[in-house]
Every structure is written in C-alpha cells, then in structure tokens.
Amino acid sequence: MEHCDECGSMMSSTGDGWTCRNCGFNFSEDSGASEETIDTIRSEKSERRSTQSELSKVRNKLSLVTSTIIPLSCPSCNEVGATLDIENNTSPKFVCEKCGYRWETDS
C-alpha cells in the first residue's frame, strides 16, 4: 500500500499507478523504469515517512518539556514557577510565569 506524497493518506491502486483516496493525487509508475528503480523510490519514500514520523515525535516531546511549569523561584520577582525556553542553538533559558523575566542557570 502506498501513501500520498501530498497529504499522507492511503492511495488506491489504479493498475499502473496509484490515486490518493483523500486529495486525488495521482502517481503512475513509469513503465520504462526497472523494478530496481521502483523499489528504490519506494524505499526512499518509506525512509522519508519514517524520518517525518520521528521528527513529529521529537517535536511533541519538546513541546511537552517546554510547556511544563518548573518550581523555580524567579530572580526578579521571587515568584515560583517557570517554563523552559529552548531557542535554536542557544543555551536554554527559564522564563518566569509571573513577570516574564528570562534567566540561565549556572551549570
């Protein structure tokens, strides 16, 4: 069974190709392509789906970590409660839930 490159839904076989059940995208296997070429394309599509699935899992876990309230006292207002802010390739910072102050820990 093939999955649509456009929307990820299941595709139906149409004899010499595939049609998406959801968005109507068509994929026809080139009749001149060797079976090895077709297998390579299928393998690459499978790897791409696997990689996208893994990225989705990492994003979900990162979202959970960054939305969890941590019981730390804010250096600015002394209120307890901060979230973790992870920016691209920078040190993680804590953000006070009360006043928005951002700080790094001494590690």
Side-chain angles (χ1 to χ4, degrees), residues 5-93:
D5 287 340
E6 298 298 314
C7 71
S9 295
M10 299 289 257
M11 297 183 81
S12 299
S13 176
T14 58
D16 64 343
W18 302 87
T19 300
C20 178
R21 296 175 183 175
N22 185 47
C23 72
F25 176 76
N26 289 309
F27 169 75
S28 296
E29 295 179 356
D30 181 7
S31 60
S34 69
E35 193 63 35
E36 181 179 337
T37 300
I38 292 169
D39 287 343
T40 299
I41 291 169
R42 286 182 178 153
S43 174
E44 288 173 356
K45 288 171 75 176
S46 176
E47 288 175 19
R48 187 170 51 237
R49 280 193 303 272
S50 176
T51 300
Q52 290 170 344
S53 174
E54 290 300 315
L55 282 172
S56 178
K57 289 176 187 176
V58 168
R59 285 185 186 117
N60 289 340
K61 288 179 183 177
L62 184 58
S63 176
L64 179 64
V65 167
T66 59
S67 64
T68 301
I69 296 177
I70 304 163
L72 290 176
S73 294
C74 173
S76 178
C77 71
N78 293 321
E79 288 291 324
V80 175
T83 55
L84 189 60
D85 183 17
I86 302 172
E87 296 179 4
N88 295 336
N89 299 324
T90 63
S91 298
K93 293 182 175 52

